[in-house]
Amino acid sequence: MTKLQEENDNNDGKIVVMEEWNGSSSTKLSRTAVLTLTPSSFSLQRSGNRFSEVSTRVIGAFVPEGFPTSVTPDYVPFQIWDSLQGLSTYIRMMLSTQALLSAIGVGEKSATVIGATFQWFLRDFTGMLGGILFTFYQGSNLDNNAKMWRLVADLMNDLGMLTDLVSPLFPSAFIVIVCLGSISRSFTGVASGATRAALTQHFSLQNNAADISAKEGSQETLATMIGMILGMLLARVTMGHPVAIWFSFLSLTLLHMYANYRAVCCLSLTTLNCQRSSILLQSFMETGKVLSPEQVSSMEHILPSWTSLWRSKTDDLLHKRIHLGVRVSSLNHKDMIDLSGSTGSYYKKEKYLLMPKSGVVNVYVHKQSTAADVLQSFIHALVLGNHVNKTKFVHEESRSWMDKHYEGYVAKLKLTGWKTERLLAPPVVWRADWLSNEKIE
């Protein structure tokens, strides 16, 4: 970047001054040279030093262009903790790989090449099959709970490494154990890759997702190299000492789990999923204010539901009682009468129907509904669910609230930084069609 200045000298000649600035962000520029031209002379004055220029280029290989203004504020803390957990993973990988190769028979005269090849092939084959099956069952849900699946992915990776380390202890069940470990790691590959893509989009502030992804690769490669070196040293020191191996592995695993949890806690996602929508609406109905992404992040439950069965925190969230995209074939005769009568009259203008039943709110989505309609139907269902135990006229009260507050509520969400284009929820695969009058087809 250059800056041109023109000044008149005492002899009515012109003095031209050009400045050279370096930096990818307009807020972090440093002047590197000044060129001065007079009618009788030319001078070049350099500022800064070569070391500073080289260090800037090296750092540029690991951080996105325009950093830090080109990424969200939670990028740095997340990357620090993510790199730390990645480093612990690569160190442990050397220990688990050493145990796995020992179990296969590397270094033993009785081991055969074809036997080791077959075992390795079977291990990789089951891992590939497990990845396909996991994608089939959960691939569409990874965006909805990126934080939770990020934790689950690394937990499954820990289990996979643990099976590799255990495999030499059970020679008769070696194939079964390593195949289970491979399947576990295949879940990690799918979930980690998908959630990483979602987080990259979140970090991007200047349509620079590709640059962020590339720099993430550089950071991971550096962590891998350091982890491999430390891992080889650790494997060398602990060789032949099972207690030291297990102590090192378990200690690094605890560090990995803690660092991964802290990394996920740093994230302040701005997309609306079922849980964040529930937290936001409950707060808005109580205080009339919209929480910021940072505030919601501190209230969000990111562990899998089975880890908190003894807690009531998740039970307090309305989204657990909302069933989105229910099949209309589940309706009975009484439900049809209600929908064709007074109940259905509250949804004449909407592309969805709501039916509270057995403590939950069923949402029937019209086949022509858009992403905005799905979001509105879910928020309407949350409002209705909030009124279930407070009044008998749940449809009337929830309809009144939506008419008075919905548009203003969505506008406040946008002003606070939330993305309201769509709801991140499991795909709505069951839809319905009905006539515009009171009778349902």
Side-chain angles (χ1 to χ4, degrees), residues 10 35 48 56 148 150 179 198 272 297 314 322 377 384 388 409:
N10 296 332
L35 291 80
T56 301
M148 184 199 73
R150 183 76 181 180
C179 287
L272 293 176
S297 176
T314 53
I322 308 300
S377 71
L384 190 147
V388 165
Y409 173 62

Side-chain angles (χ1 to χ4, degrees), residues 21-284:
W21 296 77
N22 179 260
S24 59
S25 173
S26 59
T27 60
K28 296 187 67 174
L29 294 174
S30 59
R31 189 169 61 181
T32 57
V34 179
L35 291 80
T36 305
L37 176 66
T38 67
S40 59
S41 65
F42 169 78
S43 65
L44 170 61
Q45 181 180 1
R46 296 187 181 275
S47 57
N49 55 69
R50 183 66 61 179
F51 175 78
S52 177
E53 183 178 348
V54 173
S55 63
T56 301
R57 290 183 177 275
V58 172
I59 295 175
F62 298 97
V63 297
E65 290 292 329
F67 176 84
T69 57
S70 62
V71 293
T72 56
D74 54 358
Y75 174 80
V76 173
F78 175 82
Q79 290 302 123
I80 292 175
W81 286 108
D82 187 57
S83 298
L84 183 60
Q85 65 90 14
L87 182 64
S88 66
T89 296
Y90 301 125
I91 296 175
R92 290 178 301 144
M93 188 179 297
M94 299 303 296
L95 297 177
S96 62
T97 302
Q98 183 185 44
L100 181 62
L101 293 175
S102 174
I104 290 178
V106 175
E108 296 183 5
K109 296 181 179 180
S110 59
T112 62
V113 174
I114 188 63
T117 302
F118 175 76
Q119 292 173 345
W120 205 269
F121 162 78
L122 194 59
R123 171 179 175 268
D124 289 347
F125 181 81
T126 54
M128 296 175 186
L129 182 61
I132 294 174
L133 293 176
F134 180 76
T135 303
F136 175 76
Y137 283 104
Q138 293 293 341
S140 302
N141 296 325
L142 297 176
D143 272 338
N144 312 335
N145 294 293
K147 290 185 177 183
M148 184 199 73
W149 283 114
R150 183 76 181 180
L151 287 176
V152 171
D154 284 281
L155 176 61
M156 298 304 292
N157 191 40
D158 291 339
L159 292 177
M161 289 187 178
L162 181 62
T163 56
D164 287 346
L165 199 62
V166 170
S167 59
L169 304 178
F170 304 94
S172 59
F174 170 75
I175 292 295
V176 175
I177 293 175
V178 295
C179 287
L180 290 176
S182 182
I183 293 174
S184 179
R185 275 190 298 272
S186 70
F187 296 168
T188 300
V190 175
S192 179
T195 55
R196 168 53 66 179
L199 296 181
T200 300
Q201 292 294 333
H202 162 69
F203 291 137
S204 174
L205 291 181
Q206 299 179 357
N207 295 322
N208 56 339
D211 183 35
I212 293 176
S213 180
K215 300 306 168 57
E216 161 67 18
S218 296
Q219 297 171 21
E220 186 172 354
T221 300
L222 179 61
T224 302
M225 294 168 61
I226 298 174
M228 290 175 64
I229 294 173
L230 295 178
M232 286 189 292
L233 293 175
L234 182 62
R236 181 72 176 177
V237 171
T238 59
M239 183 180 298
H241 300 85
V243 176
I245 292 175
W246 278 100
F247 177 79
S248 301
F249 180 85
L250 294 178
S251 298
L252 289 168
T253 299
L254 291 176
L255 173 63
H256 173 261
M257 295 174 64
Y258 175 76
N260 197 49
Y261 179 77
R262 289 297 302 271
V264 173
C265 288
C266 291
L267 295 171
S268 299
L269 302 182
T270 58
T271 51
L272 293 176
N273 66 0
C274 296
Q275 182 180 179
R276 289 191 284 272
S277 298
S278 178
I279 294 173
L280 284 165
L281 183 66
Q282 283 185 292
S283 175
F284 182 78

